[in-house]
Amino acid sequence: MKIALTIAGSDSGGGAGIQADLKTFQQFGVFGTSVIVALTAQNTVGVRAVETVSEAMVGEQLTALAEDLPPDALKTGMLADVALVRLVAKAVRENGWTPLVVDPVMIATSGDRLLSVDAEQVIRDRLLPLATLVTPNLDEASLLTGLKVRDVAQMERAGMLMLDMGAAAVLMKGGHLQDDVIVDLLVTPDGTRQFSHPRIHSTSTHGTGCTLSAAITAGLASGRTLEAAVEAALDYVVQAIANAPGLGAGHGPVNHLF
């Protein structure tokens, strides 16, 4: 059985973060391991509190997995602050862990900030050059590139700029577009592929970014090509939203078990 690793924060509401990643890994038939870098007190309505895990403890988690359960693919999610971004990037580089999917989690679906402002530059400098794939939404792409990203043409421009920053490929997520058809762009040095699907009007969108990046990671761990892993992951998320359980009073979770 292949191993997929998630390095991210814990979501007490179960819809995003480590919890969403492990559920997704299970659905894709890979064994999930985790490094928890932050604890969040949150539900479908919002984030009540965030507490980062000590650098020493994060380092010990990374070392434990490197010694005994090295991943066949891995992803990063919420990394909280500068010190943890640097620590994680160093571990990925020194252990030679690849392929790496970077989900640059900066702002929760509820609008709460999950990454310190000064950590954005460190992600650009230290983590993007290690990434097999980066999966930003429009807001995250704007923060990473400094560009206004509000339509498909701007998405492609931002994706190309992130390639220049060192990422091997970029999946520009179009969920924040205002159209009835959602367009996602896979931008690589060989060109751009467009994925489209009708918008599902639902409030059950909590953790969609985490779930998508975890599904891609699982696909890569299983030996799928990047394009095949992205296509399967996008289909999984669409179905998970369409069959969401309708939990909570705010942005509810998707159905990871569909």
Side-chain angles (χ1 to χ4, degrees):
M1 179 176 284
K2 299 298 185 179
I3 297 174
L5 165 63
T6 171
I7 306 172
S10 169
D11 172 10
S12 57
I18 293 286
Q19 287 82 350
D21 294 342
L22 293 178
K23 292 172 188 176
T24 302
F25 290 163
Q26 188 82 5
Q27 285 300 99
F28 276 78
V30 298
F31 183 80
T33 59
S34 64
V35 171
I36 299 176
V37 304
L39 306 176
T40 70
Q42 65 175 299
N43 51 32
T44 67
V45 178
V47 180
R48 295 176 59 88
V50 177
E51 184 173 311
T52 57
V53 176
S54 70
E55 290 180 61
M57 185 59 187
V58 172
E60 290 294 341
Q61 292 178 77
L62 290 163
T63 299
L65 295 179
E67 289 177 346
D68 188 49
L69 294 165
D72 295 291
L74 71 157
K75 62 155 285 187
T76 60
M78 173 190 178
L79 295 179
D81 62 28
V82 169
L84 292 176
V85 175
R86 286 175 176 157
L87 177 62
V88 168
K90 181 173 182 287
V92 171
R93 184 177 62 254
E94 291 183 351
N95 288 305
W97 285 342
T98 189
L100 167 66
V101 177
V102 174
D103 182 10
V105 177
M106 298 175 177
I107 301 172
T109 302
S110 59
D112 297 282
R113 180 170 269 278
L114 297 174
L115 181 76
S116 63
V117 175
D118 53 353
E120 294 170 10
Q121 185 63 48
V122 183
I123 285 181
R124 280 190 289 266
D125 294 344
R126 303 285 184 95
L127 212 51
L128 259 60
L130 301 174
T132 303
L133 181 70
V134 186
T135 62
N137 61 30
L138 302 192
D139 294 334
E140 292 159 351
S142 294
L143 289 172
L144 286 170
T145 64
L147 301 176
K148 178 181 178 181
V149 185
R150 290 293 178 266
D151 60 32
V152 174
Q154 293 168 346
M155 287 168 63
E156 184 168 13
R157 193 173 306 121
M160 295 297 293
L161 184 54
M162 276 182 270
L163 293 185
D164 292 339
M165 293 176 181
V170 182
L171 179 64
M172 293 292 305
K173 299 181 295 190
H176 291 177
L177 295 172
Q178 299 303 308
D179 303 326
D180 287 332
V181 174
I182 292 178
V183 174
D184 303 294
L185 294 182
L186 179 60
V187 183
T188 73
D190 296 326
T192 300
R193 178 177 172 185
Q194 180 172 308
F195 299 88
S196 302
H197 63 267
R199 179 180 297 279
I200 300 170
H201 295 282
S202 171
T203 58
S204 297
T205 55
H206 181 57
T208 49
C210 303
T211 300
L212 176 64
S213 57
I216 296 170
T217 303
L220 294 174
S222 299
R224 290 184 179 182
T225 65
L226 178 60
E227 193 166 319
V230 167
E231 187 170 17
L234 287 168
D235 182 61
Y236 172 66
V237 172
V238 169
Q239 297 300 324
I241 295 172
N243 294 276
L247 302 177
H251 292 284
V254 302
N255 185 357
H256 294 96
L257 304 179
F258 180 76

